[in-house]
Amino acid sequence: MTIYEKIDRCHEAIGAVRPFEGHMLEQLKDYYRIGLTWSSNAIEGNTLTINETKVVLEDGLTIAGRPLRDFYETVGHGKAYNFMFTLIGNRRISTADIKAMHRLFYKEIDEENAGVWRKEPVVVSGTDYVFPHPDELEKRMMELDAWITNERGKYHPVTFAGLLHLKFVNIHPFIDGNGRTSRLIMNLALIQDGYQLAIVPPVLRAEYNDTIRQYQIKGTSKPFCDFIAERVYETQKEIMRLFHIPLPELK
């Protein structure tokens, strides 16, 4: 049985006890806001622990001895995460949505560049991939917008979400915060289609980055999409445990 078949079996089992709404939905939203914010920031070098992330998001307190930027990244990601959930019913992800998400995340860090396509070339450590020149960004993002609209139905929802992440991160339209934005829009695509979040724990950072580099070097997307599928499956199993949903037969 493939990972996608396992995901679909669990998707059916979770769907049988839905809808998640009201207080139950808020519980799930709050539960994963901390986990996704912590893991996504940690991948990029944020030093806050998951417990410190919880204190920042729930109490709005700074953490003694931690950089102020780490605080702003956490608060900003929490705001972008909340905005992501306002877009669930649209089944649409536009460049305007992406800019708004980045603006929420990045405003307190660098207001001038928040939600604005970068105006200078970027070089990313760990890869010699050549990212588009700033003059190309508007065209490339319009092409991505069209791909989202026209191609979404041709893929399994988890595969589509992984491809969206890859395509966005290869454009790298912002001066900073592209990785976190790519993970947010990937997860937006998943929840819009009724699937669970893909949370990448920092311990898997090397594998995560390696599968992105395989796409950049060889053009192969399967390793990354399979990696994301495993993350979705892990979240499904956790939700089934939390809500006492029996795990389906997966032979």
Side-chain angles (χ1 to χ4, degrees):
M1 180 177 288
T2 69
I3 183 61
Y4 298 94
E5 289 170 330
K6 291 179 180 179
I7 286 171
D8 287 339
R9 290 279 185 89
C10 291
H11 183 65
E12 290 173 8
I14 294 170
V17 299
R18 281 182 172 176
F20 290 132
E21 57 187 9
H23 181 61
M24 186 181 291
L25 178 60
E26 285 302 311
Q27 281 184 309
L28 276 176
K29 178 182 169 184
D30 290 345
Y31 183 79
Y32 285 106
R33 181 167 66 125
I34 294 166
L36 183 62
T37 296
W38 169 72
S39 62
S40 196
N41 278 338
I43 285 172
E44 307 297 340
N46 189 293
T47 63
L48 267 61
T49 67
I50 192 167
N51 287 332
E52 290 169 342
T53 299
K54 177 180 171 67
V55 168
V56 170
L57 290 177
E58 294 186 349
D59 303 324
L61 300 175
T62 56
I63 307 298
R66 301 296 193 187
L68 193 57
R69 182 186 174 105
D70 287 2
F71 170 79
Y72 287 141
E73 287 178 348
T74 301
V75 172
H77 193 283
K79 290 178 179 178
Y81 175 89
N82 289 340
F83 175 71
M84 177 180 77
F85 271 84
T86 70
L87 303 173
I88 290 181
N90 296 351
R91 207 173 182 272
R92 176 85 175 88
I93 305 171
S94 68
T95 53
D97 296 330
I98 294 171
K99 283 183 172 182
M101 205 172 289
H102 185 268
R103 188 179 302 113
L104 287 167
F105 164 68
Y106 207 60
K107 183 178 179 182
E108 299 301 325
I109 300 168
D110 181 359
E111 186 170 2
E112 182 181 349
N113 289 302
V116 177
W117 302 149
R118 58 181 165 83
K119 301 177 181 65
E120 56 190 76
V122 291
V123 177
V124 177
S125 60
T127 178
D128 57 1
Y129 180 78
V130 179
F131 295 97
H133 188 273
D135 293 343
E136 303 174 53
L137 292 176
E138 187 63 37
K139 177 176 179 291
R140 292 289 296 272
M141 289 303 295
M142 286 178 63
E143 290 172 349
L144 180 64
D145 191 295
W147 178 82
I148 293 169
T149 301
N150 299 325
E151 303 296 319
R152 185 167 188 166
K154 298 179 181 179
Y155 300 96
H156 186 285
V158 176
T159 302
F160 170 79
L163 289 172
L164 175 59
H165 177 299
L166 288 173
K167 289 177 179 292
F168 177 84
V169 86
N170 267 15
I171 298 171
H172 233 71
F174 300 114
I175 194 66
D176 191 20
N178 294 282
R180 277 165 279 215
T181 304
S182 68
R183 291 185 287 276
L184 282 165
I185 62 174
M186 172 181 71
N187 280 303
L188 172 57
L190 287 167
I191 62 176
Q192 282 180 339
D193 280 321
Y195 284 77
Q196 313 308 318
L197 299 177
I199 298 178
V200 182
V203 69
L204 296 180
R205 177 184 178 185
E207 183 180 352
Y208 167 73
N209 286 330
D210 182 61
T211 54
I212 293 174
R213 284 193 291 271
Q214 288 185 54
Y215 178 70
Q216 292 172 336
I217 295 169
K218 302 177 183 178
T220 175
S221 60
K222 188 176 186 302
F224 181 81
C225 290
D226 287 352
F227 173 82
I228 293 302
E230 291 286 352
R231 298 300 95 219
V232 172
Y233 180 51
E234 289 304 314
T235 305
Q236 285 180 322
K237 290 194 293 184
E238 185 173 25
I239 284 179
M240 296 175 82
R241 177 183 63 82
L242 289 171
F243 289 98
H244 307 285
I245 303 170
L247 193 68
E249 184 66 42
L250 298 174
K251 291 183 180 179

